Amino acid sequence: MAKAFDELKKFLDEKRDLHYLLSILNYDIQTSTPEKSIGRESELLSKYASELAAMEKNPEYIRLVKRSYEEEKDNPRREKLLRVALENIEFMEKVDLETYERWNQAFQKSNEMWRIAKKNDDAAIYLPYWKKAVEASREIAELRRKPGQKTRYDSLLSQYEPGETEELVDSVFNPLRDYLIEKFPFVMKKQEKALFPEIKAYDVNHQRELSYDLLKLISYDLDRGCLRESMHPFSDNMSKDDARITTDYSVEDWRSNLFTIIHEGGHCIEFQNWPEEQYADYVEGSATAALCETHSRFYENIIGRSKEFAPHLKALCEKDLGEEFKDMPLEGFYNLLNQVRPNLIRCDADEFTYSLHIIIRYEIEKDLINGKIEVEDVPAIWNKKYKDYLGLDVPNDREGFLQDVHWSDGSFGYFPSYALGNIYGAQILNSIKKDLPYEEILKNGDMAAIRKWFAEHDFAYDYLDPVAWINKVTGEGMNPKYFIDYLEKKFF
Ligand SMILES: [Zn+2]
């Protein structure tokens, strides 16, 4: 008898094709679609998105997933693929169409009102709609909750980071939070005396040259990807030979594009270096958000803001932006890459304070989903935490709790990924250093060697759940000590 998985492949191929098509449409809309055609292209996008969603309800597909799951338990990649597929099927079986519609509308309306509220700095018009989205998220959390998950939030968290719990995240975030709050004023004090050269404006054409040179430098394969511009930068693992990037140029501050390119390029280096068997078993792209952020943030911060790599970046700035970089002392250039200051906006935060922005969001969303607080309480709690942790007065909700899109459409449980990425990254750095003369390699700019290490020791296992993955890559469970040591060494 034929194995069920062989029969299932026709559905998996179809899903893969639809995913590629949707990604192409989305990339086009974000970067190049003419204004008057955006409506038409968006219609195409929702048409094929519905086709993809409908497959989850196809009885033949469901039957084959259930049978394959029993047959393929010994193949870790297929086990992962089928386990996730099965969880989605089981969840959808519990939900009637009416409830599903009600949730979708709650999220859509809340997201729509968030846009208006943020634009006008008017939280009051948003809160009643957000309340409904939060209630929907609580219902989903209860329905998805598995034995062993102590709280509702555990259930949402494990949607993004399977197997992780509040207890585990608390055990790494709490010591990190206390360390950052205590040390932050000292870093600021130390930087008062440091040399910070002037930041000059550079036009988009010069910065674009720099973008391509940076991508080549970090070993991104330009024959299997491309770079365009969009309002919000992103990267997408569209298909096996197609991992695309976007950026957004700030004429006033060249650092913004430089780090965007290294960050998004870092994401794509992971996408471009998955082994063949991940494609054969359809698990390409099943790395969790925290794993993906580990790699992008490793390239952006651990490599991109390092002393060893700074001369390479400075040389490219001199070549593409202007001669003035030649006269700039290396120390001043390095300081510009590592300027620490309190900032109200998460996306503009420096490497030192970034995790505090995430921890504030984590602490609030956890209490909100678990029912310890309600949406009406959030603005005041937000402002108090920004004062207590970062010493900042929040002047308005637009720059306060309304700044991020995540909460408006019910993406609760996603924020921790960003800070977990920092913690995993420093832990992996420790492992790389055991295997390679890492600092030498960075000084020589031999980025292919770094890419090769990641491909063999890390990307090859990134379909695993985070707990299993970090153990495989570093030989131990998640440990915040490495990130704290890294910050200590770098900033003191
Ligand atoms: Zn990212």
Side-chain angles (χ1 to χ4, degrees), residues 21 29 46 51 54 68 152 175 181 192 194 221 225 239 245 249 299 305 346 364 420-421 434:
L21 190 61
I29 290 171
S46 36
E51 235 175 74
S68 301
R152 256 189 235 148
I181 293 173
E192 264 172 27
D221 184 353
S239 186
I245 295 174
Y249 293 104
Y299 272 82
R305 294 180 207 260
R346 172 183 65 90
I364 294 175
L420 294 173
K434 286 183 200 159

XYZ file of all heavy atoms in Angstrom, residues 21 29 46 51 54 68 152 175 181 192 194 221 225 239 245 249 299 305 346 364 420-421 434:
183
model
N 2.897 32.153 -4.705
C 2.075 33.117 -5.435
C 1.666 34.282 -4.524
O 1.767 35.454 -4.902
C 0.831 32.391 -5.961
C -0.051 33.125 -6.950
C 0.719 33.464 -8.200
C -1.259 32.249 -7.309
N 2.886 44.298 -4.213
C 2.034 45.363 -3.654
C 2.849 46.288 -2.751
O 2.702 47.504 -2.795
C 0.832 44.751 -2.883
C -0.141 44.103 -3.871
C 0.122 45.808 -2.046
C -1.239 43.275 -3.218
N -6.518 38.116 -1.896
C -7.481 37.462 -0.991
C -8.121 36.246 -1.645
O -8.458 35.281 -0.953
C -8.532 38.426 -0.431
O -8.899 39.363 -1.339
N -8.284 30.325 -1.075
C -8.061 28.985 -1.626
C -7.135 28.176 -0.711
O -7.381 26.998 -0.444
C -7.424 29.105 -3.013
C -8.216 28.361 -4.082
C -7.627 28.593 -5.449
O -6.574 28.017 -5.743
O -8.241 29.367 -6.222
N -9.003 27.223 2.462
C -10.022 26.190 2.218
C -9.414 24.788 2.248
O -10.081 23.812 2.602
C -10.708 26.439 0.884
N -0.815 10.021 7.804
C 0.639 10.231 7.698
C 1.259 10.426 9.071
O 2.368 9.955 9.336
C 0.950 11.474 6.861
O 0.412 11.347 5.586
N -3.618 30.639 30.306
C -4.109 30.935 28.961
C -2.970 31.470 28.090
O -2.872 31.170 26.920
C -5.153 32.047 29.072
C -6.566 31.583 28.935
C -7.412 32.835 28.837
N -8.440 32.826 29.847
C -8.926 33.905 30.441
N -8.445 35.097 30.170
N -9.882 33.801 31.314
N 15.754 38.053 35.314
C 17.134 38.489 35.604
C 17.673 39.475 34.571
O 18.421 40.402 34.911
C 17.947 37.184 35.586
C 17.086 36.143 34.998
C 15.668 36.592 35.145
N 17.966 47.309 33.875
C 17.517 48.503 34.603
C 18.646 49.042 35.485
O 18.892 50.244 35.537
C 16.258 48.197 35.451
C 15.069 47.890 34.530
C 15.921 49.369 36.373
C 13.817 47.419 35.241
N 28.737 59.503 27.749
C 28.755 60.977 27.761
C 30.081 61.517 27.260
O 30.145 62.534 26.591
C 28.535 61.495 29.200
C 27.091 61.856 29.505
C 26.910 62.176 30.978
O 27.878 62.613 31.637
O 25.778 61.945 31.467
N 32.230 59.881 25.314
C 32.708 59.236 24.079
C 32.608 60.165 22.871
O 31.825 61.119 22.856
C 31.904 57.973 23.828
N 23.175 35.799 -1.241
C 23.276 35.417 -2.649
C 22.287 36.228 -3.498
O 21.085 35.961 -3.494
C 22.980 33.912 -2.766
C 23.162 33.399 -4.178
O 23.390 34.233 -5.095
O 23.082 32.168 -4.373
N 17.759 36.153 -4.864
C 16.992 37.104 -4.066
C 17.072 38.467 -4.709
O 17.724 38.626 -5.753
N 10.482 31.267 -1.887
C 10.642 29.968 -2.533
C 12.103 29.558 -2.408
O 12.941 30.342 -1.961
C 10.232 30.100 -4.001
O 10.254 28.842 -4.612
N 14.330 40.846 -0.073
C 14.504 41.838 0.993
C 13.898 43.163 0.551
O 13.875 43.471 -0.637
C 16.017 42.060 1.226
C 16.659 40.790 1.764
C 16.284 43.215 2.177
C 18.161 40.886 1.883
N 14.901 53.953 3.040
C 16.059 54.836 3.213
C 15.729 56.077 4.030
O 14.718 56.734 3.757
C 16.605 55.256 1.842
C 17.194 54.090 1.085
C 16.502 53.506 0.026
C 18.428 53.569 1.454
C 17.035 52.416 -0.658
C 18.967 52.483 0.781
C 18.270 51.916 -0.278
O 18.806 50.842 -0.940
N 23.250 38.783 12.937
C 23.949 39.529 11.882
C 23.929 41.031 12.172
O 24.936 41.717 12.051
C 23.341 39.210 10.506
C 23.992 37.994 9.889
C 23.591 36.703 10.244
C 25.054 38.113 8.993
C 24.216 35.581 9.719
C 25.687 36.992 8.458
C 25.269 35.739 8.819
O 25.900 34.634 8.297
N 27.479 45.220 14.765
C 27.881 46.271 15.703
C 29.163 45.893 16.449
O 29.427 46.398 17.541
C 26.753 46.548 16.701
C 25.513 47.144 16.051
C 24.407 47.417 17.066
N 23.095 47.364 16.475
C 22.377 48.428 16.112
N 22.843 49.635 16.268
N 21.185 48.276 15.558
N 10.219 51.387 20.220
C 10.927 50.105 20.188
C 11.816 49.960 18.958
O 12.973 49.556 19.055
C 9.898 48.959 20.210
C 10.477 47.572 19.995
C 9.378 46.525 19.948
N 8.493 46.677 18.817
C 8.676 46.108 17.612
N 9.733 45.364 17.400
N 7.807 46.298 16.646
N 2.892 43.066 30.131
C 1.519 43.580 29.995
C 0.616 42.564 29.293
O -0.485 42.270 29.749
C 1.519 44.935 29.243
C 2.224 46.002 30.086
C 0.089 45.374 28.922
C 2.386 47.357 29.395
N 13.946 36.897 22.957
C 14.488 35.532 23.015
C 15.579 35.394 21.963
O 16.591 34.726 22.174
C 13.380 34.505 22.777
C 12.292 34.436 23.863
C 11.160 33.509 23.438
C 12.873 33.970 25.194
N 15.388 36.051 20.811
C 16.399 36.038 19.744
C 17.735 36.581 20.225
O 18.789 36.048 19.889
N 33.863 28.241 20.132
C 34.526 26.976 20.451
C 34.993 26.268 19.183
O 35.958 25.524 19.191
C 33.568 26.059 21.208
C 33.347 26.474 22.646
C 32.432 25.449 23.321
C 31.777 26.027 24.556
N 30.571 25.295 24.923
